[in-house]
Amino acid sequence: MNKYDVIVIGGGPAGLIAAGRAAELGNQVLILEKMRNIGRKLLITGKGRCNITNNAEIAEFITHVFPNGRFLRNAFSQFYSQDIIDLLQRYGVASTLERGGRYFPASNKAADVLKTLTQWVKELGVDIQTNSPVEKLIIQNGEITGVQTNTTSIKAKYVILATGGKSYPATGSTGDGYVLAKQAGHKPERARPALVSMQTAGNTAQKLQGLNLRNVKAVVWINGKKAGEDFGEMIFTHFGLSGPIILTLSRIVVDELFKKSKVVVTIDLKPALDEQKLDNRLLRDLNEHGKKKLVNIFRNWLPSSMIPVFLELLQLDPEKECHQVSSKERKKIRHLLKNLSFDIIGHGSYQEAIITAGGISTKEIFPKTMESKKTKGLFFAGELIDLDAETGGYNLQIAYSTGWLAGNSCLKTNKE
Ligand SMILES: Cc1cc2nc3c(=O)[nH]c(=O)nc-3n(C[C@H](O)[C@H](O)[C@H](O)COP(=O)(O)OP(=O)(O)OC[C@H]3O[C@@H](n4cnc5c(N)ncnc54)[C@H](O)[C@@H]3O)c2cc1C
């Protein structure tokens, strides 16, 4: 039976950083990866560009993480955004800062990030064994002693579980970590897709399919009460609603659909104007262009592909002249511009979810070391932990920081 100081299960960003740090401390480290190649998900991040991290200060960063961003304070105090930027820079991969504090590789290639992390761990002497799914943790008297793969058992003093979540299962993240953690006495929080699209009732969204809207506000209503809002960009799809602000709001929606709540999303197409200002604007336009047909004046207010759908929803005759529009009808127009409403009846699956919410509870992990509170010598890193963040480079930073802290906690002398 082989023997290592540290076995890292999973060759994603969390596993790679964990392995590199553990090796820097002098440990003999092995990464076991079930797929043919490591880092498959990393390669598709940021649409192949990889939003490496975010330049937010720690206090701000943790407000973008759910359900317990504060858990990350220790990890962030030891390895943060500048540290990953510096590590990549050492290998010649420069980063550029974009809108919203997002860092990308200057080359715009996620592959450069993976290449660098791979080179770094290899230079530190880390062994990487692919096509090696771990099927079992070997635990004796509450202490980890090794792992069992599909072909063999391997001993180790420490094991770092970095198997990711369940989203984009084709990349290898199929939720194995939850099963393995249960063997170690953990009770994972229910996993569910996060950062996903929303399925709408009716066919309004489908009629608008492909239309991208900027500078709009989306509001989520749960059983008639406002539960969240976001401002920015969205898109209509064959399925319903998607795009950045929809993905952000999806975390509330997924949970509430599970509870069978009534979920409605309204889109405010004119967020810069309050009801009164919008009414003044409509009145002015209708008065100024009294002889124009309604369908034509709508061009002042909406993208052209939305106009027929809007008029249908309003049940207004497109041929009607503007001076014929009653104040009641104007009120209806105003209301729809501020509240284009969709009943939400479902959400996207793991196949398309950017991240998995749920997983190993932060209550079951020591925040100073990432060690399991249930099994000695077992550590957690990355998406497997019950932490998920908004888009913006936050999720990868969580993976590196928890990975680094887990690796850093495998001090060679500890268990001699
Ligand atoms: C389309 C998409 C785009 C994204 N873009 C961004 C972005 O731009 N910025 C950002 O911050 N985040 C982004 N994310 C999220 C980010 O990719 C994840 O948060 C991150 O990859 C999590 O890292 P991880 O190492 O914890 O898990 P993963 O990257 O999922 O790696 C886990 C690894 O463990 C392996 N594994 C699983 N089970 C076993 C087993 N039993 N034995 C051995 N190995 C196993 C898997 O094969 C995999 O290689 C994106 C996600 C997706 C899906």
Side-chain angles (χ1 to χ4, degrees):
M1 200 194 266
N2 289 324
K3 189 164 181 343
Y4 282 87
D5 296 316
V6 179
I7 288 176
V8 178
I9 310 175
L16 285 165
I17 296 279
R21 180 58 189 159
E24 276 182 341
L25 295 176
N27 290 294
Q28 197 56 47
V29 183
L30 169 68
I31 294 177
L32 291 170
E33 166 57 51
K34 81 168 179 191
M35 304 298 279
R36 191 141 50 95
N37 299 303
I38 57 169
R40 287 190 59 170
K41 187 174 280 179
L42 185 56
L43 283 178
I44 58 165
T45 53
K47 300 196 171 105
R49 293 180 64 217
C50 185
N51 180 188
I52 305 165
T53 184
N54 193 287
N55 81 339
E57 297 289 330
I58 293 177
E60 149 85 15
F61 191 121
I62 62 177
T63 65
H64 297 275
V65 184
F66 309 96
N68 179 17
R70 274 172 305 145
F71 174 81
L72 291 164
R73 277 191 178 277
N74 280 291
F76 285 169
S77 69
Q78 300 200 37
F79 191 91
Y80 199 47
S81 45
Q82 196 55 48
D83 298 300
I84 187 69
I85 302 277
D86 290 348
L87 174 57
L88 294 171
Q89 183 67 58
R90 284 212 305 275
Y91 285 84
V93 177
S95 306
T96 52
L97 188 56
E98 296 191 10
R99 182 180 51 87
R102 296 159 194 248
Y103 277 107
F104 288 86
S107 64
N108 284 322
K109 287 189 191 139
D112 287 349
V113 177
L114 178 59
K115 214 160 78 185
T116 299
L117 295 184
T118 309
Q119 195 183 336
W120 178 61
V121 297
K122 283 193 172 159
E123 281 175 14
L124 287 162
V126 172
D127 290 337
I128 300 177
Q129 206 173 295
T130 54
N131 290 317
S132 302
V134 171
E135 294 180 343
K136 199 168 168 260
L137 300 178
I138 305 169
I139 298 164
Q140 282 165 359
N141 304 322
E143 197 165 328
I144 197 103
T145 58
V147 305
Q148 198 178 302
T149 70
N150 55 337
T151 54
T152 181
S153 295
I154 311 173
K155 274 192 175 176
K157 281 187 248 170
Y158 305 102
V159 171
I160 300 174
L161 204 45
T163 46
K166 283 180 111 173
S167 40
Y168 273 69
T171 63
S173 320
T174 50
D176 294 8
Y178 309 130
V179 180
L180 294 170
K182 278 185 191 163
Q183 295 168 10
H186 289 269
K187 290 197 180 80
E189 297 292 326
R190 184 176 61 86
R192 64 257 184 219
L195 299 177
V196 271
S197 60
M198 300 181 196
Q199 186 184 3
T200 50
N203 58 3
T204 304
Q206 285 75 1
K207 286 182 191 161
L208 297 169
Q209 184 177 337
L211 176 66
N212 198 62
L213 297 174
R214 283 163 193 258
N215 302 323
V216 294
K217 185 168 86 176
V219 182
V220 179
W221 304 87
I222 305 298
N223 300 326
K225 279 203 180 140
K226 187 169 170 176
E229 64 175 44
D230 202 12
F231 173 85
E233 198 173 334
M234 60 156 292
I235 189 167
F236 295 100
T237 70
H238 68 287
F239 187 70
L241 313 178
S242 192
I245 60 174
I246 298 299
L247 297 190
T248 300
L249 292 171
S250 69
R251 108 173 302 280
I252 310 171
V253 168
V254 170
D255 285 348
E256 292 297 335
L257 287 172
F258 183 75
K259 290 191 231 159
K260 307 263 185 277
S261 307
K262 177 163 174 51
V263 182
V264 172
V265 168
T266 54
I267 312 294
D268 182 350
L269 297 157
K270 300 287 169 200
L273 301 175
D274 63 22
E275 297 268 345
Q276 189 56 55
K277 280 192 182 136
L278 180 58
D279 198 47
N280 294 345
R281 159 108 193 261
L282 297 181
L283 194 58
R284 191 192 67 205
D285 287 356
L286 291 166
N287 283 340
E288 273 179 18
H289 305 279
K291 282 285 176 199
K292 258 194 186 171
K293 287 179 183 165
L294 204 48
V295 63
N296 293 330
I297 195 71
F298 258 89
R299 297 219 170 95
N300 288 12
W301 307 327
L302 285 176
S304 52
S305 60
M306 272 192 121
I307 298 171
V309 179
F310 236 70
L311 286 167
E312 194 185 321
L313 287 171
L314 288 164
Q315 294 178 310
L316 282 176
D317 175 7
E319 299 298 311
K320 193 170 193 164
E321 290 184 358
C322 288
H323 68 92
Q324 296 173 314
V325 174
S326 68
S327 64
K328 201 170 157 198
E329 286 169 334
R330 192 180 75 240
K331 204 170 156 193
K332 267 172 75 180
I333 298 172
R334 187 187 71 200
H335 186 261
L336 196 58
L337 285 168
K338 297 289 283 177
N339 301 280
L340 180 58
S341 177
F342 295 91
D343 286 345
I344 306 299
I345 52 172
H347 58 77
S349 68
Y350 282 119
Q351 311 294 327
E352 58 142 301
I354 302 291
I355 195 104
T356 307
I360 311 308
S361 170
T362 51
K363 293 188 197 118
E364 297 180 347
I365 304 171
F366 291 110
K368 286 194 173 156
T369 56
M370 294 293 140
E371 190 172 12
S372 159
K373 289 185 180 174
K374 308 283 177 189
T375 297
K376 272 193 194 157
L378 175 66
F379 296 82
F380 295 100
E383 196 174 322
L384 170 68
I385 302 171
D386 181 16
L387 292 169
D388 60 282
E390 292 167 7
T391 56
Y394 303 109
N395 285 299
L396 279 174
Q397 185 63 49
I398 295 172
Y400 320 131
S401 297
T402 52
W404 196 92
L405 185 52
N408 195 51
S409 306
C410 300
L411 297 172
K412 203 163 187 282
T413 48
N414 241 8
K415 268 188 148 192
E416 295 291 359

mmCIF file of all heavy atoms in Angstrom, residues 111-148:
data_model
loop_
_atom_site.group_PDB
_atom_site.id
_atom_site.type_symbol
_atom_site.label_atom_id
_atom_site.label_comp_id
_atom_site.label_asym_id
_atom_site.label_seq_id
_atom_site.Cartn_x
_atom_site.Cartn_y
_atom_site.Cartn_z
ATOM 1 N N ALA A 111 -7.459 28.489 -19.591
ATOM 2 C CA ALA A 111 -6.446 27.433 -19.709
ATOM 3 C C ALA A 111 -5.108 27.887 -19.121
ATOM 4 O O ALA A 111 -4.356 27.068 -18.572
ATOM 5 C CB ALA A 111 -6.275 27.036 -21.173
ATOM 6 N N ASP A 112 -4.808 29.188 -19.194
ATOM 7 C CA ASP A 112 -3.547 29.687 -18.633
ATOM 8 C C ASP A 112 -3.543 29.572 -17.116
ATOM 9 O O ASP A 112 -2.495 29.340 -16.507
ATOM 10 C CB ASP A 112 -3.332 31.159 -19.036
ATOM 11 C CG ASP A 112 -2.958 31.287 -20.501
ATOM 12 O OD1 ASP A 112 -2.663 30.244 -21.135
ATOM 13 O OD2 ASP A 112 -2.978 32.421 -21.013
ATOM 14 N N VAL A 113 -4.732 29.743 -16.515
ATOM 15 C CA VAL A 113 -4.823 29.632 -15.053
ATOM 16 C C VAL A 113 -4.589 28.171 -14.659
ATOM 17 O O VAL A 113 -3.801 27.864 -13.763
ATOM 18 C CB VAL A 113 -6.199 30.132 -14.552
ATOM 19 C CG1 VAL A 113 -6.326 29.962 -13.047
ATOM 20 C CG2 VAL A 113 -6.425 31.587 -14.966
ATOM 21 N N LEU A 114 -5.241 27.273 -15.357
ATOM 22 C CA LEU A 114 -5.085 25.848 -15.042
ATOM 23 C C LEU A 114 -3.632 25.396 -15.273
ATOM 24 O O LEU A 114 -3.061 24.673 -14.451
ATOM 25 C CB LEU A 114 -6.047 24.997 -15.897
ATOM 26 C CG LEU A 114 -5.924 23.488 -15.676
ATOM 27 C CD1 LEU A 114 -6.172 23.098 -14.225
ATOM 28 C CD2 LEU A 114 -6.867 22.719 -16.602
ATOM 29 N N LYS A 115 -3.062 25.853 -16.374
ATOM 30 C CA LYS A 115 -1.670 25.471 -16.692
ATOM 31 C C LYS A 115 -0.734 25.917 -15.568
ATOM 32 O O LYS A 115 0.146 25.166 -15.132
ATOM 33 C CB LYS A 115 -1.260 26.136 -18.021
ATOM 34 C CG LYS A 115 -0.322 25.296 -18.868
ATOM 35 C CD LYS A 115 -0.337 25.735 -20.301
ATOM 36 C CE LYS A 115 0.495 26.981 -20.505
ATOM 37 N NZ LYS A 115 0.420 27.530 -21.854
ATOM 38 N N THR A 116 -0.949 27.130 -15.090
ATOM 39 C CA THR A 116 -0.086 27.667 -14.032
ATOM 40 C C THR A 116 -0.228 26.864 -12.739
ATOM 41 O O THR A 116 0.772 26.472 -12.126
ATOM 42 C CB THR A 116 -0.455 29.143 -13.746
ATOM 43 O OG1 THR A 116 -0.250 29.872 -14.940
ATOM 44 C CG2 THR A 116 0.379 29.712 -12.627
ATOM 45 N N LEU A 117 -1.472 26.620 -12.337
ATOM 46 C CA LEU A 117 -1.660 25.890 -11.073
ATOM 47 C C LEU A 117 -1.081 24.487 -11.183
ATOM 48 O O LEU A 117 -0.492 23.960 -10.237
ATOM 49 C CB LEU A 117 -3.151 25.844 -10.696
ATOM 50 C CG LEU A 117 -3.818 27.192 -10.385
ATOM 51 C CD1 LEU A 117 -5.261 27.004 -9.938
ATOM 52 C CD2 LEU A 117 -3.039 27.962 -9.307
ATOM 53 N N THR A 118 -1.221 23.887 -12.364
ATOM 54 C CA THR A 118 -0.688 22.537 -12.571
ATOM 55 C C THR A 118 0.834 22.554 -12.491
ATOM 56 O O THR A 118 1.459 21.709 -11.831
ATOM 57 C CB THR A 118 -1.141 21.994 -13.940
ATOM 58 O OG1 THR A 118 -2.551 22.156 -14.054
ATOM 59 C CG2 THR A 118 -0.792 20.529 -14.104
ATOM 60 N N GLN A 119 1.440 23.539 -13.153
ATOM 61 C CA GLN A 119 2.906 23.637 -13.141
ATOM 62 C C GLN A 119 3.418 23.862 -11.719
ATOM 63 O O GLN A 119 4.388 23.239 -11.284
ATOM 64 C CB GLN A 119 3.329 24.798 -14.046
ATOM 65 C CG GLN A 119 4.814 24.766 -14.388
ATOM 66 C CD GLN A 119 5.194 25.981 -15.226
ATOM 67 O OE1 GLN A 119 4.343 26.579 -15.897
ATOM 68 N NE2 GLN A 119 6.463 26.346 -15.201
ATOM 69 N N TRP A 120 2.721 24.750 -11.017
ATOM 70 C CA TRP A 120 3.107 25.072 -9.633
ATOM 71 C C TRP A 120 3.114 23.813 -8.766
ATOM 72 O O TRP A 120 4.110 23.528 -8.090
ATOM 73 C CB TRP A 120 2.123 26.114 -9.089
ATOM 74 C CG TRP A 120 2.319 26.530 -7.668
ATOM 75 C CD1 TRP A 120 3.411 27.125 -7.125
ATOM 76 C CD2 TRP A 120 1.365 26.400 -6.600
ATOM 77 N NE1 TRP A 120 3.200 27.383 -5.790
ATOM 78 C CE2 TRP A 120 1.951 26.952 -5.440
ATOM 79 C CE3 TRP A 120 0.069 25.902 -6.510
ATOM 80 C CZ2 TRP A 120 1.292 26.998 -4.199
ATOM 81 C CZ3 TRP A 120 -0.592 25.950 -5.283
ATOM 82 C CH2 TRP A 120 0.022 26.481 -4.141
ATOM 83 N N VAL A 121 2.047 23.030 -8.794
ATOM 84 C CA VAL A 121 2.008 21.838 -7.925
ATOM 85 C C VAL A 121 3.038 20.802 -8.379
ATOM 86 O O VAL A 121 3.657 20.131 -7.549
ATOM 87 C CB VAL A 121 0.596 21.191 -7.808
ATOM 88 C CG1 VAL A 121 -0.400 22.140 -7.174
ATOM 89 C CG2 VAL A 121 0.071 20.650 -9.109
ATOM 90 N N LYS A 122 3.237 20.706 -9.679
ATOM 91 C CA LYS A 122 4.212 19.708 -10.165
ATOM 92 C C LYS A 122 5.621 20.086 -9.725
ATOM 93 O O LYS A 122 6.405 19.231 -9.309
ATOM 94 C CB LYS A 122 4.119 19.582 -11.685
ATOM 95 C CG LYS A 122 2.907 18.750 -12.098
ATOM 96 C CD LYS A 122 2.957 18.352 -13.544
ATOM 97 C CE LYS A 122 1.834 17.363 -13.839
ATOM 98 N NZ LYS A 122 1.505 17.309 -15.267
ATOM 99 N N GLU A 123 5.940 21.371 -9.809
ATOM 100 C CA GLU A 123 7.269 21.820 -9.360
ATOM 101 C C GLU A 123 7.479 21.544 -7.875
ATOM 102 O O GLU A 123 8.603 21.358 -7.425
ATOM 103 C CB GLU A 123 7.434 23.320 -9.625
ATOM 104 C CG GLU A 123 7.755 23.624 -11.076
ATOM 105 C CD GLU A 123 7.796 25.119 -11.372
ATOM 106 O OE1 GLU A 123 7.829 25.937 -10.431
ATOM 107 O OE2 GLU A 123 7.775 25.452 -12.562
ATOM 108 N N LEU A 124 6.390 21.543 -7.139
ATOM 109 C CA LEU A 124 6.488 21.284 -5.692
ATOM 110 C C LEU A 124 6.486 19.776 -5.398
ATOM 111 O O LEU A 124 6.462 19.363 -4.240
ATOM 112 C CB LEU A 124 5.328 21.965 -4.962
ATOM 113 C CG LEU A 124 5.437 23.492 -4.868
ATOM 114 C CD1 LEU A 124 4.086 24.128 -4.538
ATOM 115 C CD2 LEU A 124 6.458 23.886 -3.790
ATOM 116 N N GLY A 125 6.467 18.981 -6.435
ATOM 117 C CA GLY A 125 6.587 17.530 -6.265
ATOM 118 C C GLY A 125 5.281 16.802 -5.994
ATOM 119 O O GLY A 125 5.289 15.643 -5.561
ATOM 120 N N VAL A 126 4.150 17.464 -6.241
ATOM 121 C CA VAL A 126 2.857 16.808 -6.007
ATOM 122 C C VAL A 126 2.626 15.738 -7.080
ATOM 123 O O VAL A 126 2.859 15.979 -8.263
ATOM 124 C CB VAL A 126 1.713 17.859 -6.068
ATOM 125 C CG1 VAL A 126 0.341 17.189 -6.024
ATOM 126 C CG2 VAL A 126 1.854 18.872 -4.932
ATOM 127 N N ASP A 127 2.215 14.563 -6.656
ATOM 128 C CA ASP A 127 1.837 13.519 -7.625
ATOM 129 C C ASP A 127 0.375 13.704 -8.006
ATOM 130 O O ASP A 127 -0.464 13.990 -7.131
ATOM 131 C CB ASP A 127 2.006 12.119 -7.014
ATOM 132 C CG ASP A 127 3.468 11.771 -6.818
ATOM 133 O OD1 ASP A 127 4.319 12.365 -7.515
ATOM 134 O OD2 ASP A 127 3.755 10.912 -5.958
ATOM 135 N N ILE A 128 0.068 13.527 -9.292
ATOM 136 C CA ILE A 128 -1.331 13.643 -9.735
ATOM 137 C C ILE A 128 -1.714 12.324 -10.389
ATOM 138 O O ILE A 128 -1.056 11.871 -11.326
ATOM 139 C CB ILE A 128 -1.509 14.798 -10.750
ATOM 140 C CG1 ILE A 128 -1.108 16.132 -10.116
ATOM 141 C CG2 ILE A 128 -2.962 14.856 -11.241
ATOM 142 C CD1 ILE A 128 -1.171 17.338 -11.057
ATOM 143 N N GLN A 129 -2.760 11.727 -9.860
ATOM 144 C CA GLN A 129 -3.239 10.468 -10.416
ATOM 145 C C GLN A 129 -4.670 10.675 -10.916
ATOM 146 O O GLN A 129 -5.569 10.927 -10.116
ATOM 147 C CB GLN A 129 -3.222 9.426 -9.298
ATOM 148 C CG GLN A 129 -3.088 8.003 -9.777
ATOM 149 C CD GLN A 129 -2.913 7.082 -8.574
ATOM 150 O OE1 GLN A 129 -1.919 7.160 -7.849
ATOM 151 N NE2 GLN A 129 -3.880 6.227 -8.353
ATOM 152 N N THR A 130 -4.839 10.639 -12.240
ATOM 153 C CA THR A 130 -6.186 10.849 -12.804
ATOM 154 C C THR A 130 -6.892 9.504 -12.997
ATOM 155 O O THR A 130 -6.314 8.444 -12.712
ATOM 156 C CB THR A 130 -6.101 11.611 -14.139
ATOM 157 O OG1 THR A 130 -5.221 10.905 -14.989
ATOM 158 C CG2 THR A 130 -5.601 13.026 -13.944
ATOM 159 N N ASN A 131 -8.120 9.539 -13.479
ATOM 160 C CA ASN A 131 -8.944 8.325 -13.620
ATOM 161 C C ASN A 131 -9.000 7.539 -12.307
ATOM 162 O O ASN A 131 -8.986 6.309 -12.320
ATOM 163 C CB ASN A 131 -8.379 7.410 -14.712
ATOM 164 C CG ASN A 131 -8.582 8.010 -16.084
ATOM 165 O OD1 ASN A 131 -9.655 8.544 -16.378
ATOM 166 N ND2 ASN A 131 -7.560 7.944 -16.920
ATOM 167 N N SER A 132 -9.004 8.259 -11.203
ATOM 168 C CA SER A 132 -8.946 7.584 -9.891
ATOM 169 C C SER A 132 -10.025 8.093 -8.951
ATOM 170 O O SER A 132 -9.749 8.868 -8.024
ATOM 171 C CB SER A 132 -7.574 7.822 -9.244
ATOM 172 O OG SER A 132 -6.556 7.351 -10.070
ATOM 173 N N PRO A 133 -11.258 7.686 -9.178
ATOM 174 C CA PRO A 133 -12.312 8.128 -8.259
ATOM 175 C C PRO A 133 -12.125 7.537 -6.873
ATOM 176 O O PRO A 133 -11.883 6.336 -6.739
ATOM 177 C CB PRO A 133 -13.599 7.586 -8.914
ATOM 178 C CG PRO A 133 -13.158 6.490 -9.818
ATOM 179 C CD PRO A 133 -11.755 6.815 -10.257
ATOM 180 N N VAL A 134 -12.217 8.394 -5.863
ATOM 181 C CA VAL A 134 -12.163 7.895 -4.493
ATOM 182 C C VAL A 134 -13.559 7.416 -4.116
ATOM 183 O O VAL A 134 -14.547 8.121 -4.300
ATOM 184 C CB VAL A 134 -11.673 8.993 -3.526
ATOM 185 C CG1 VAL A 134 -11.831 8.551 -2.074
ATOM 186 C CG2 VAL A 134 -10.220 9.334 -3.826
ATOM 187 N N GLU A 135 -13.623 6.187 -3.617
ATOM 188 C CA GLU A 135 -14.931 5.606 -3.303
ATOM 189 C C GLU A 135 -15.206 5.530 -1.814
ATOM 190 O O GLU A 135 -16.343 5.388 -1.397
ATOM 191 C CB GLU A 135 -15.033 4.208 -3.946
ATOM 192 C CG GLU A 135 -15.016 4.327 -5.462
ATOM 193 C CD GLU A 135 -15.110 2.990 -6.191
ATOM 194 O OE1 GLU A 135 -14.865 1.947 -5.543
ATOM 195 O OE2 GLU A 135 -15.400 3.020 -7.402
ATOM 196 N N LYS A 136 -14.123 5.600 -1.035
ATOM 197 C CA LYS A 136 -14.330 5.432 0.411
ATOM 198 C C LYS A 136 -13.217 6.139 1.190
ATOM 199 O O LYS A 136 -12.066 6.155 0.739
ATOM 200 C CB LYS A 136 -14.299 3.926 0.709
ATOM 201 C CG LYS A 136 -14.923 3.531 1.997
ATOM 202 C CD LYS A 136 -15.102 2.004 2.063
ATOM 203 C CE LYS A 136 -15.451 1.618 3.470
ATOM 204 N NZ LYS A 136 -14.372 1.111 4.266
ATOM 205 N N LEU A 137 -13.584 6.682 2.339
ATOM 206 C CA LEU A 137 -12.571 7.199 3.253
ATOM 207 C C LEU A 137 -12.260 6.097 4.263
ATOM 208 O O LEU A 137 -13.185 5.415 4.718
ATOM 209 C CB LEU A 137 -13.098 8.425 4.011
ATOM 210 C CG LEU A 137 -13.521 9.636 3.176
ATOM 211 C CD1 LEU A 137 -14.055 10.744 4.097
ATOM 212 C CD2 LEU A 137 -12.357 10.152 2.347
ATOM 213 N N ILE A 138 -10.998 5.930 4.577
ATOM 214 C CA ILE A 138 -10.660 4.926 5.593
ATOM 215 C C ILE A 138 -10.454 5.668 6.918
ATOM 216 O O ILE A 138 -9.593 6.557 7.022
ATOM 217 C CB ILE A 138 -9.403 4.120 5.189
ATOM 218 C CG1 ILE A 138 -9.611 3.503 3.796
ATOM 219 C CG2 ILE A 138 -9.112 3.030 6.223
ATOM 220 C CD1 ILE A 138 -8.364 2.907 3.191
ATOM 221 N N ILE A 139 -11.278 5.326 7.892
ATOM 222 C CA ILE A 139 -11.276 6.051 9.166
ATOM 223 C C ILE A 139 -11.144 5.037 10.304
ATOM 224 O O ILE A 139 -11.842 4.019 10.318
ATOM 225 C CB ILE A 139 -12.593 6.855 9.332
ATOM 226 C CG1 ILE A 139 -12.712 7.898 8.208
ATOM 227 C CG2 ILE A 139 -12.668 7.530 10.696
ATOM 228 C CD1 ILE A 139 -14.093 8.478 8.026
ATOM 229 N N GLN A 140 -10.182 5.308 11.208
ATOM 230 C CA GLN A 140 -10.045 4.413 12.369
ATOM 231 C C GLN A 140 -10.077 5.234 13.645
ATOM 232 O O GLN A 140 -9.313 6.200 13.767
ATOM 233 C CB GLN A 140 -8.720 3.638 12.270
ATOM 234 C CG GLN A 140 -8.807 2.489 11.283
ATOM 235 C CD GLN A 140 -7.437 1.941 10.887
ATOM 236 O OE1 GLN A 140 -6.403 2.420 11.335
ATOM 237 N NE2 GLN A 140 -7.453 0.936 10.039
ATOM 238 N N ASN A 141 -10.941 4.859 14.551
ATOM 239 C CA ASN A 141 -11.079 5.567 15.837
ATOM 240 C C ASN A 141 -11.221 7.076 15.654
ATOM 241 O O ASN A 141 -10.523 7.861 16.303
ATOM 242 C CB ASN A 141 -9.864 5.285 16.744
ATOM 243 C CG ASN A 141 -9.670 3.801 16.944
ATOM 244 O OD1 ASN A 141 -10.661 3.054 17.070
ATOM 245 N ND2 ASN A 141 -8.427 3.356 16.943
ATOM 246 N N GLY A 142 -12.079 7.472 14.750
ATOM 247 C CA GLY A 142 -12.356 8.897 14.557
ATOM 248 C C GLY A 142 -11.255 9.656 13.858
ATOM 249 O O GLY A 142 -11.245 10.888 13.834
ATOM 250 N N GLU A 143 -10.285 8.936 13.282
ATOM 251 C CA GLU A 143 -9.157 9.597 12.627
ATOM 252 C C GLU A 143 -8.969 9.039 11.218
ATOM 253 O O GLU A 143 -9.064 7.825 11.020
ATOM 254 C CB GLU A 143 -7.900 9.333 13.467
ATOM 255 C CG GLU A 143 -6.785 10.254 13.142
ATOM 256 C CD GLU A 143 -5.694 10.225 14.223
ATOM 257 O OE1 GLU A 143 -6.010 10.021 15.419
ATOM 258 O OE2 GLU A 143 -4.542 10.382 13.848
ATOM 259 N N ILE A 144 -8.704 9.908 10.283
ATOM 260 C CA ILE A 144 -8.535 9.449 8.904
ATOM 261 C C ILE A 144 -7.191 8.742 8.760
ATOM 262 O O ILE A 144 -6.186 9.182 9.322
ATOM 263 C CB ILE A 144 -8.653 10.635 7.917
ATOM 264 C CG1 ILE A 144 -8.907 10.165 6.490
ATOM 265 C CG2 ILE A 144 -7.423 11.525 7.904
ATOM 266 C CD1 ILE A 144 -10.296 10.313 6.034
ATOM 267 N N THR A 145 -7.199 7.637 8.000
ATOM 268 C CA THR A 145 -5.914 6.949 7.794
ATOM 269 C C THR A 145 -5.637 6.698 6.311
ATOM 270 O O THR A 145 -4.575 6.234 5.946
ATOM 271 C CB THR A 145 -5.880 5.587 8.527
ATOM 272 O OG1 THR A 145 -6.973 4.785 8.034
ATOM 273 C CG2 THR A 145 -5.994 5.757 10.034
ATOM 274 N N GLY A 146 -6.596 7.012 5.461
ATOM 275 C CA GLY A 146 -6.347 6.809 4.031
ATOM 276 C C GLY A 146 -7.633 6.827 3.236
ATOM 277 O O GLY A 146 -8.704 7.163 3.757
ATOM 278 N N VAL A 147 -7.506 6.462 1.971
ATOM 279 C CA VAL A 147 -8.692 6.431 1.103
ATOM 280 C C VAL A 147 -8.657 5.171 0.248
ATOM 281 O O VAL A 147 -7.602 4.554 0.060
ATOM 282 C CB VAL A 147 -8.758 7.667 0.171
ATOM 283 C CG1 VAL A 147 -8.686 8.961 0.942
ATOM 284 C CG2 VAL A 147 -7.686 7.625 -0.908
ATOM 285 N N GLN A 148 -9.808 4.847 -0.277
ATOM 286 C CA GLN A 148 -9.904 3.713 -1.194
ATOM 287 C C GLN A 148 -10.416 4.222 -2.535
ATOM 288 O O GLN A 148 -11.447 4.877 -2.589
ATOM 289 C CB GLN A 148 -10.881 2.716 -0.615
ATOM 290 C CG GLN A 148 -10.755 1.342 -1.218
ATOM 291 C CD GLN A 148 -11.745 0.409 -0.529
ATOM 292 O OE1 GLN A 148 -11.705 0.231 0.689
ATOM 293 N NE2 GLN A 148 -12.638 -0.146 -1.326
#
